[in-house]
Amino acid sequence: MKKITENLITNESDYLNRRAFIKQTAKLGIGLLGAGAALPILAEKSDQSDLAGEILKTPYGKNLEPHSFKDISNYNNFYEFGTGKRDPAKNAHTLKTKPWHITVTGECEKQGDYDLEDFIKPHQLEERIYRFRCVEAWSMVIPWVGISLAGVLKSFKPNSNAKYVVFKTLVDKQQMPGQRGPILEWPYIEGLTINEAMNPLSFLAVGLYGKTLPNQNGAPIRLVVPWKYGFKNIKSIVSIHFQKEKPINTWQIQAPSEYGFYANVNPNVDHPRWTQKRERVIGKGGFFSPEKRKTEIFNGYKDEVAHLYSQLDLTKNF
Ligand code: MTE
């Protein structure tokens, strides 16, 4: 995979036109499959893509209008590069994404140290358009490119002790200036139950808008779990570990009274310091009258994931 450069970035209007065309030609297929059927509908040769391999178009998010590349790559949370929303876009050029290795450890048969390209190669690249809802009460719609997390995890053959999956971000103070201070405990850590991780929605993104993921968005590979608050979506992953015990994630360590493990998007449970009933839509409306929308339970993905939480008290956070 080539590193992203300005002139490689897909022209958004071309991209959106192409999507409109694909939507038209795929209409019949979608009609036959039924609304919400999460089956691939059309493989498109990624003519301008700098990602290796074809990108399969899927019906995920077919009714959502993606935000601009500019919005998605200039309004970020990535504390390894600063705490301001524009800091990652300014500072993340120091991250070296090639070569990149991911170590797989714990309760599985195929532990090992995998080169990123070998890690991705056996899996189908897909485009998934998901709404992204931050716990800070803002949202965007993002056209990710990546691979199914379930497919990846199954290939390592987890055993029956693998109840949770834990992900860690790179630690490197030279490349990640934010790690020179104690803003968070490093490395950034996140976890999922094995059933959450195996849910068809769970995704590992390696690109957006058909191109390599910009560093500020978590290059070269980051987690995307669209029914959970944004902080679960760990960036620049270097380790995947299967374990029996429930892990403690970075924001639980940082502020246990405010953030939990499950962190499912839930408009009925407010953050201790603000409401979660509504979200500000990034880039829409003016500074004084930002566009807001009602937050949906599980961020609109209830049909796909509510069954995972039949035992969980949804009137409580975490
Ligand atoms: N991953 C790492 N390693 N470091 C971070 O600071 N921030 C999280 C998450 N993943 C974060 C991270 C938070 S709080 C959010 S909202 C999302 O990344 C933001 O993703 P985006 O910048 O691509 O929108």
Side-chain angles (χ1 to χ4, degrees), residues 59-120:
Y60 288 108
K62 62 185 188 294
N63 300 320
L64 299 176
E65 206 51 65
H67 273 67
S68 68
F69 180 85
K70 193 170 164 226
D71 283 339
I72 297 168
S73 59
N74 283 279
Y75 191 91
N76 299 103
N77 278 332
F78 200 172
Y79 280 21
E80 285 84 341
F81 297 101
T83 53
K85 292 287 183 277
R86 287 182 175 273
D87 290 346
K90 246 188 288 158
N91 302 329
H93 59 91
T94 53
L95 176 65
K96 238 182 90 204
T97 57
K98 205 168 180 172
W100 192 271
H101 289 262
I102 299 184
T103 55
V104 177
T105 52
E107 302 286 351
C108 69
E109 237 177 71
K110 301 214 164 175
Q111 303 178 352
D113 183 27
Y114 297 86
D115 178 78
L116 184 66
E117 282 183 29
D118 298 333
F119 183 95
I120 295 171

Side-chain angles (χ1 to χ4, degrees), residues 71-82 85 88 132-136 138 140 142 144 168-170 176 179 184 186-190 208 213-214 216-218 222-223 229-237 250-251:
D71 283 339
I72 297 168
S73 59
N74 283 279
Y75 191 91
N76 299 103
N77 278 332
F78 200 172
Y79 280 21
E80 285 84 341
F81 297 101
K85 292 287 183 277
F132 185 91
R133 170 55 158 91
C134 180
V135 76
E136 297 164 344
W138 52 263
M140 286 195 220
I142 306 183
W144 302 109
K168 288 185 186 163
T169 294
L170 177 74
M176 296 177 144
Q179 290 179 341
L184 292 176
W186 313 110
Y188 195 97
I189 296 179
E190 259 308 337
L208 74 87
L213 203 59
Q216 59 267 37
N217 289 91
R222 59 93 56 86
L223 184 65
Y229 288 122
F231 67 84
K232 296 293 292 181
N233 296 247
I234 182 171
K235 297 178 166 182
S236 306
I237 296 167
T250 292
W251 281 99

Side-chain angles (χ1 to χ4, degrees), residues 133-313:
R133 170 55 158 91
C134 180
V135 76
E136 297 164 344
W138 52 263
S139 71
M140 286 195 220
V141 172
I142 306 183
W144 302 109
V145 176
I147 53 182
S148 150
L149 179 61
V152 169
L153 297 184
K154 279 178 197 157
S155 72
F156 302 125
K157 299 195 184 308
N159 62 40
S160 59
N161 282 328
K163 305 282 187 226
Y164 295 91
V165 192
V166 184
F167 304 86
K168 288 185 186 163
T169 294
L170 177 74
V171 180
D172 186 325
K173 286 184 185 162
Q174 293 306 313
Q175 295 184 53
M176 296 177 144
Q179 290 179 341
R180 292 173 204 157
I183 319 163
L184 292 176
E185 203 165 289
W186 313 110
Y188 195 97
I189 296 179
E190 259 308 337
L192 297 173
T193 67
I194 192 80
N195 289 338
E196 290 176 328
M198 293 294 183
N199 185 277
L201 287 181
S202 298
F203 202 54
L204 285 170
V206 296
L208 74 87
Y209 268 117
K211 302 291 176 187
T212 301
L213 203 59
N215 284 1
Q216 59 267 37
N217 289 91
I221 186 162
R222 59 93 56 86
L223 184 65
V224 182
V225 274
W227 72 97
K228 292 181 177 287
Y229 288 122
F231 67 84
K232 296 293 292 181
N233 296 247
I234 182 171
K235 297 178 166 182
S236 306
I237 296 167
V238 291
S239 130
I240 297 180
H241 180 75
F242 296 96
Q243 66 184 46
K244 198 168 182 182
E245 311 74 34
K246 194 178 190 181
I248 299 182
N249 54 338
T250 292
W251 281 99
Q252 273 183 294
I253 299 170
Q254 189 69 15
S257 61
E258 301 195 349
Y259 306 103
F261 174 76
Y262 290 101
N264 295 319
V265 175
N266 189 345
N268 307 316
V269 180
D270 286 342
H271 185 279
R273 289 183 280 135
W274 58 82
T275 177
Q276 294 291 23
K277 286 190 175 51
R278 285 169 297 282
E279 64 211 42
R280 186 165 54 88
V281 183
I282 295 301
K284 307 276 157 76
F287 181 78
F288 295 106
S289 54
E291 188 179 309
K292 300 231 173 154
R293 67 184 299 278
K294 278 190 178 163
T295 291
E296 294 172 70
I297 186 84
F298 297 115
N299 202 24
Y301 300 96
K302 182 174 166 221
D303 291 349
E304 290 89 341
V305 300
H307 67 278
L308 295 171
Y309 308 105
S310 53
Q311 308 299 320
L312 208 68
D313 181 357

